[in-house]
Structures are given as C-alpha cells and as structure tokens.
Amino acid sequence: MLSFFVPGVRHPIHYIAGILKFPIKKYLLANFLASSLYSDGWTFIIYKFNQKIGIKLVLIWLHQHLSIVLPLVAIALLCFIFYKVKRNKNES
C-alpha cells in the first residue's frame, strides 16, 4: 500500500505483485485503500489551497507575470526535449 505514495514505484509495483503471485483479493483491497487515500489527500490539499490562496489569485498572478512565466516554461520544455533526445541517442 505504501508504494502507491512513492513516485516511480507506484506503476511497476503491479507487475511485481503479479510476479510474486500476491493474492488477488488482498491486492485489490490494498490498491483500493491506497488509491482512495491518495486521491482524498490530493483533493484535501487542493481544496485547502483554493480556500487559503484562491485559484483566481494564482491565475491573476500568472497573467500579470506572463513575461516571466512563459520564458521559464519554454526553457523547461527545451531542457526536457534536449534530455529526451540525448537519452534516445545514448540508447541507440
């Protein structure tokens, strides 16, 4: 159940459970409980964020600082593309 909250482990744990022949009823129960806690946690965080700060305030700030936000997003996107191209080139 704890693997559901660890990035990078959440997805392959399903394969490992199958390989180890984890009982299906226990697996489904653990998966249901973990996904419920995970989604409830994110819902609570987003609700509190919107209550304390307000999503409208964030959107207004982004619009007012568009000249800063757009270049940062573009740089992050270019870095991601460069990383993927370099990684694919090294795998070949």
Side-chain angles (χ1 to χ4, degrees):
M1 264 179 63
L2 295 177
S3 69
F4 207 88
F5 299 92
V6 180
V9 177
R10 182 180 330 139
H11 299 291
I13 200 69
H14 307 295
Y15 301 113
I16 294 170
I19 290 169
L20 296 176
K21 298 183 186 206
F22 197 75
I24 189 75
K25 287 182 182 179
K26 285 184 180 180
Y27 170 77
L28 290 176
L29 178 64
N31 202 26
F32 174 75
L33 291 174
S35 64
S36 296
L37 288 172
Y38 186 79
S39 61
D40 289 347
W42 273 111
T43 302
F44 177 77
I45 289 170
I46 297 300
Y47 175 76
K48 285 298 182 183
F49 173 79
N50 193 29
Q51 194 177 33
K52 298 282 182 190
I53 297 172
I55 198 72
K56 287 182 182 179
L57 180 65
V58 173
L59 292 175
I60 290 170
W61 185 89
L62 285 174
H63 190 292
Q64 289 173 346
H65 297 89
L66 205 56
S67 61
I68 298 171
V69 173
L70 282 180
L72 290 176
V73 170
I75 290 169
L77 185 62
L78 287 172
C79 288
F80 177 75
I81 292 170
F82 178 74
Y83 169 76
K84 285 291 192 180
V85 167
K86 187 176 178 182
R87 187 172 152 208
N88 286 342
K89 196 179 284 186
N90 287 342
E91 288 179 357
S92 299

